Amino acid sequence: MQAQLKQYFGFDSFRKGQEETVKSVLSGRSAAAIFPTGSGKSLCYQLPALMLPNLTLVVSPLVALMKDQLSFLQSKHIPAAALDSSLTFNETKAIWADLRAGKTKVLMVAVERFKNERFRQSIKNIPISLLVIDEAHCISEWGHNFRPDYLKLPSYQAEFGITQTLLLTATATPVVIEDMANKFNIAPQDIQTTGFYRPNLHLNIKAMPEAQKYDFIVDYLSKSARFKPIANQYREADANNSAANNVMGAQGSHACPTIIYVTLQKNAEDLATKLKHDGFNAVAYHAGLASDLRSTIQNAFMDDKVDIIVATIAFGMGVDKSNIRNVIHFDLPKSIENYSQEIGRAGRDGNVSDCLTIVNKERLNVLENFVYGDTPELQDIHFVLQDIQSQSNTEPLNEWHVQLYRLSQECNIRQLSLKTLMVYLEMRGIIKPKYSYFAEYRFKLLVAMDVIEAAFNGERLEFVRAIFDASDKKKIWWQLNFDNIFEQYNHNGNGAQRGRVITALEYFSDKGWVELEAKQMTEVFDVSDNTFFVAKVAKELTDTFVQKQDVEVARIHNMLKLFERPQCLSNQLSLYFGDKAAPSHCGHCSVCHGNIVHYPQCSTPDLPSSETLKELSKPFLTSYQADQFKLPSAELLTKFLCGISVPLFTRLKARKIDNFARLENNSFSEILSISRLILSD
Ligand code: ADP
Ligand code: MG
């Protein structure tokens, strides 16, 4: 193993935890590596991938996360590929050809790809030695960053006949680790945890009123720009940390890569504009920007052309920049887990980096309101359950077909919450995932039709002709019409036909005869018992969501408590993630420097009277009633007034209606009580 490590990767020795993990994997067992960010989790699959007989399939939550690992592997001449939607037709084709020829050692995909019927059909025929799950904490409902799609990975593992799994993550509490280990049958001795403590991160929590934050940050950043001498002081303190010895000095550049986190997209824009105006090289980044603009900004930051990114939490995952020197939380993070992930992006090169968090409780309601927006209402869950019952009572019987975007619009539940709801329904056994398909396939002929037909004879030729005959021909694109094919061609009416049609088209596309395009992803669930009581189940699920909401709100408060405790911050964080080996006094956090947080007094905004609330509600009530011919629920009205977006608001153009978000600084639950009063009048 040592020899391979040197030969392929040029590394002299293993880092902590790597050798043990690689050994577990090479002994044929599933394993988990829980190491801090930047400590070399990827190597735990990269080395085994070279020695295992078949493919190593790496799953991650984001396409962007794979890019660096891919270029790393390619730079080491290890045959690796990533499948994502940005690839051209020919690139995708080449990747599949290599996979089928068994040339590829590592294939990386984003988790969404598994829902793709074409992908699943193709990957099933390729032998896989190891399934790697990067950012594995996304599987746990009890952690942050929960990705409902991740919950299905154990069943995909079974479906593809993969016998071994390797989980990789940096932030997992003991509860989350246990949860993950259960789901993938990982024995305790195959779980490597190397500790959470990062000696090069200097944590600083600073309490101040909202109104002082901007001036403070300008001053702080100006000092940071001259940071080299400041950093040198740290060098002594960390003299025994070898990585820290080549601190800043080694870097010639004067750039001081900084991420500033804020809560809202609007705040990211505003803050970036102000900073630019004050002479800083700052750019805003959030999920509301077009995706090519986002990648342009990210690349500029990677190349040190932009010093400061002012971002919402949309920025970070997949940003593998080793020399980020400052991570600043201008607004409160969402939880201890989020805080840890976000500060974890600083100083991956091991050099000293600063993590400043500015705290107060003035905008606590805004943060909490985010959570409320994710809680679906009873009536909306009711709608989904009824949809399941009525669909499963009609042909095709016992099936529920879902297009996420469309259902989300219809039931007014945010997509992420809807995915979560579907997972809950799955866990209750009400629905069982069967398969997913693209409702629409279309193709463009790249060669004359007789060239294609000439390649077949007998029954196969008839089948190929049936596909063409049954398609609706537009100018360039031919729309596949499955119903027509089923009707016209019935040699083995056993439902496998759809698969056969797609396989045939895949084959045409592989041959370069057609260009194939698939749209409208539809998930199909089995509903073999639809006798459940809608009202009862809806109520229970609503309770579950409310519980989840309360847990999320409690997370915010737990974080606030952690920040104000007079105990070493590095130590508290390490303990939270189950690392008992961290020093009890790190010597380089604000608590160790004697600065304990005292949240400044803040006045909560006045609670409006029911008269005022009635007035404020009028514009929304008018628009809503014009559209829906009834009164909104109290929850919906409250969401409007507190500025919490739900799918329906997009259609109603609610942001343009007077008083949207007018009460965003108020507490959701207080406004909800008053809304209930005025609506029941
Ligand atoms: P993580 O996923 O844990 O955040 P990565 O796997 O991206 O970290 O690794 C961080 C860096 O450490 C990479 O540049 C990688 O090449 C390097 N690295 C990994 N293992 C070793 C090793 N044994 N010796 C030297 N460098 C290593
Ligand atoms: Mg990683």
Side-chain angles (χ1 to χ4, degrees):
M1 265 159 50
Q2 292 280 350
Q4 308 260 19
L5 184 68
K6 182 79 188 160
Q7 183 193 339
Y8 286 99
F9 299 96
F11 300 151
D12 293 324
S13 58
F14 282 107
R15 287 189 181 160
K16 208 169 153 197
Q18 286 179 334
E19 187 168 10
E20 294 81 351
T21 309
V22 172
K23 270 188 183 149
S24 298
V25 173
L26 290 178
S27 316
R29 297 193 303 271
S30 291
I34 298 140
F35 310 165
T37 304
S39 56
K41 287 184 286 294
S42 317
L43 188 92
C44 297
Y45 79 79
Q46 289 165 338
L47 184 58
L50 293 172
M51 308 192 192
L52 292 168
N54 298 315
L55 182 71
T56 292
L57 178 63
V58 183
V59 182
S60 82
L62 270 185
V63 175
L65 282 180
M66 310 178 299
K67 295 273 149 92
D68 294 295
Q69 295 179 34
L70 185 67
S71 46
F72 175 80
L73 287 168
Q74 287 170 342
S75 75
K76 307 287 176 198
H77 309 291
I78 297 165
L83 275 175
D84 68 66
S85 47
S86 73
L87 297 175
T88 65
F89 166 72
N90 283 327
E91 286 166 340
T92 309
K93 203 174 115 182
I95 290 177
W96 280 109
D98 283 352
L99 282 168
R100 294 199 183 97
K103 285 187 195 155
T104 314
K105 284 276 121 196
V106 177
L107 177 71
M108 316 186 114
V109 294
V111 66
E112 279 76 20
R113 193 138 296 257
F114 285 101
K115 296 204 278 192
N116 180 330
E117 186 181 9
R118 290 175 68 185
F119 173 76
R120 292 210 311 270
Q121 294 239 343
S122 311
I123 201 80
K124 253 185 217 162
N125 299 321
I126 291 163
I128 300 171
S129 292
L130 177 66
L131 174 69
V132 180
I133 303 177
D134 206 1
E135 309 291 336
H137 57 275
C138 294
I139 198 172
S140 177
E141 270 190 281
W142 308 116
H144 63 311
N145 279 347
F146 167 54
R147 287 293 201 106
D149 285 331
Y150 260 62
L151 268 190
K152 297 186 194 152
L153 287 170
S155 71
Y156 290 132
Q157 184 198 359
E159 187 181 339
F160 303 142
I162 310 173
T163 52
Q164 261 186 287
T165 316
L166 171 64
L167 307 181
L168 308 174
T169 180
T171 36
T173 60
V175 177
V176 170
I177 295 175
E178 199 189 311
D179 189 24
M180 298 190 310
N182 280 337
K183 289 191 168 105
F184 289 98
N185 276 320
I186 301 173
Q189 66 271 21
D190 292 316
I191 302 174
Q192 298 300 326
T193 317
T194 61
F196 179 82
Y197 175 57
R198 303 253 317 262
N200 64 320
L201 296 191
H202 292 202
L203 311 183
N204 180 3
I205 315 283
K206 180 105 185 131
M208 76 184 70
E210 212 44 34
Q212 292 173 15
K213 283 174 18 176
Y214 185 73
D215 288 345
F216 181 83
I217 211 86
V218 166
D219 189 50
Y220 180 89
L221 289 171
S222 315
K223 286 188 182 128
S224 265
R226 297 182 278 107
F227 65 87
K228 295 280 136 39
I230 300 172
N232 284 338
Q233 295 169 9
Y234 292 147
R235 200 194 290 194
E236 273 176 30
D238 284 355
N240 50 1
N241 171 5
S242 65
N245 274 331
N246 50 27
V247 196
M248 321 294 188
Q251 279 176 270
S253 148
H254 270 265
C256 181
T258 297
I259 308 178
I260 303 183
Y261 281 109
V262 296
T263 311
L264 302 175
Q265 297 185 354
K266 180 169 61 109
N267 301 149
E269 297 281 351
D270 294 350
L271 184 57
T273 308
K274 276 163 91 177
L275 286 172
K276 245 182 283 179
H277 181 261
D278 284 327
F280 293 96
N281 179 3
V283 179
Y285 182 106
H286 54 75
L289 302 174
S291 69
D292 26 341
L293 179 57
R294 277 193 285 168
S295 42
T296 310
I297 296 172
Q298 182 167 332
N299 289 337
F301 184 63
M302 300 301 274
D303 299 343
D304 290 329
K305 289 183 186 122
V306 164
D307 293 339
I308 302 171
I309 295 272
V310 186
T312 60
I313 52 170
F315 185 78
M317 241 214 245
V319 180
D320 198 4
K321 184 171 174 60
S322 64
N323 64 339
I324 296 174
R325 293 276 77 86
N326 274 320
V327 170
I328 299 173
H329 283 90
F330 190 74
D331 294 332
L332 285 175
K334 282 171 74 176
S335 65
I336 299 174
E337 285 86 349
N338 281 80
Y339 172 70
S340 308
Q341 281 263 314
E342 286 150 14
I343 62 171
R345 296 187 179 124
R348 291 200 185 175
D349 53 10
N351 295 337
V352 168
S353 305
D354 290 301
C355 305
L356 168 71
T357 305
I358 302 182
V359 296
N360 63 50
K361 294 183 178 178
E362 284 173 57
R363 291 180 56 79
L364 199 52
N365 283 324
V366 174
L367 202 57
E368 292 187 2
N369 288 353
F370 257 103
V371 178
Y372 294 116
D374 281 333
T375 307
E377 288 177 45
L378 180 68
Q379 60 181 51
D380 303 337
I381 296 180
H382 212 271
F383 180 96
V384 174
L385 291 170
Q386 264 172 344
D387 191 53
I388 295 176
Q389 277 192 338
S390 63
Q391 273 202 38
S392 57
N393 280 334
T394 53
E395 282 293 330
L397 282 180
N398 302 333
E399 278 186 6
W400 184 48
H401 293 228
V402 186
Q403 283 165 15
L404 197 71
Y405 174 78
R406 192 192 288 173
L407 183 63
S408 160
Q409 293 293 317
E410 285 171 358
C411 69
N412 196 27
I413 299 178
R414 286 181 184 175
Q415 285 195 28
L416 182 64
S417 311
L418 185 56
K419 284 186 195 168
T420 310
L421 173 63
M422 283 157 62
V423 170
Y424 286 160
L425 291 170
E426 237 177 278
M427 298 196 305
R428 279 173 159 257
I430 291 180
I431 58 174
K432 221 168 66 207
K434 255 179 142 170
Y435 59 96
S436 61
Y437 66 91
F438 286 95
E440 279 182 38
Y441 272 92
R442 54 179 209 162
F443 57 91
K444 187 161 85 181
L445 290 185
L446 301 174
V447 298
M449 203 151 72
D450 13 325
V451 176
I452 303 178
E453 292 185 352
F456 302 93
N457 53 41
E459 192 269 339
R460 286 174 22 125
L461 178 58
E462 273 176 58
F463 180 64
V464 168
R465 284 202 173 126
I467 294 178
F468 289 128
D469 286 348
S471 299
D472 306 322
K473 293 154 202 79
K474 301 274 160 55
K475 252 192 194 138
I476 300 171
W477 289 95
W478 296 38
Q479 180 88 34
L480 197 62
N481 187 328
F482 286 103
D483 291 341
N484 271 349
I485 301 173
F486 299 150
E487 266 171 38
Q488 296 180 10
Y489 190 81
N490 211 350
H491 282 237
N492 61 344
N494 57 9
Q497 272 211 346
R498 190 194 161 82
R500 192 179 175 204
V501 174
I502 291 162
T503 309
L505 282 175
E506 290 282 349
Y507 181 74
F508 298 169
S509 144
D510 271 1
K511 287 280 180 196
W513 296 336
V514 301
E515 184 177 337
L516 191 59
E517 224 182 58
K519 278 201 292 210
Q520 300 257 35
M521 232 266 280
T522 309
E523 287 179 75
V524 179
F525 295 88
D526 177 72
V527 192
S528 29
D529 178 11
N530 71 2
T531 56
F532 55 87
F533 291 103
V534 171
K536 179 170 167 277
V537 177
K539 172 77 177 68
E540 286 168 9
L541 287 170
T542 310
D543 291 347
T544 310
F545 272 104
V546 170
Q547 254 172 37
K548 197 177 160 71
Q549 159 190 308
D550 295 345
V551 169
E552 289 298 322
V553 172
R555 270 179 204 284
I556 302 174
H557 292 270
N558 283 342
M559 176 188 72
L560 290 171
K561 276 190 214 125
L562 183 140
F563 286 164
E564 72 180 335
R565 238 172 256 139
Q567 280 154 33
C568 169
L569 288 163
S570 310
N571 183 260
Q572 284 196 71
L573 278 182
S574 302
L575 285 179
Y576 185 82
F577 290 107
D579 172 9
K580 300 194 185 76
S584 53
H585 294 276
C586 72
H588 52 74
C589 70
S590 44
V591 176
C592 287
H593 287 149
N595 303 317
I596 315 288
V597 160
H598 298 285
Y599 292 106
Q601 286 284 2
C602 63
S603 55
T604 42
D606 289 340
L607 199 59
S609 66
S610 41
E611 285 314 306
T612 314
L613 202 81
K614 252 186 201 160
E615 270 311 300
L616 291 175
S617 309
K618 271 185 186 156
F620 177 66
L621 294 186
T622 312
S623 308
Y624 182 85
Q625 283 173 302
D627 188 78
Q628 305 272 320
F629 311 106
K630 59 173 184 188
L631 278 175
S633 66
E635 281 86 357
L636 197 70
L637 174 59
T638 310
K639 282 176 181 170
F640 174 84
L641 292 169
C642 294
I644 300 169
S645 280
V646 286
L648 180 67
F649 286 173
T650 317
R651 209 184 73 220
L652 294 179
K653 299 203 169 51
R655 281 170 192 279
K656 299 248 163 66
I657 302 173
D658 278 350
N659 300 333
F660 179 79
R662 181 67 178 268
L663 302 178
E664 66 174 0
N665 287 319
N666 280 89
S667 133
F668 180 88
S669 47
E670 285 173 4
I671 301 300
L672 181 61
S673 325
I674 312 178
S675 299
R676 286 202 171 117
L677 278 179
I678 66 164
L679 287 173
S680 61
D681 263 1

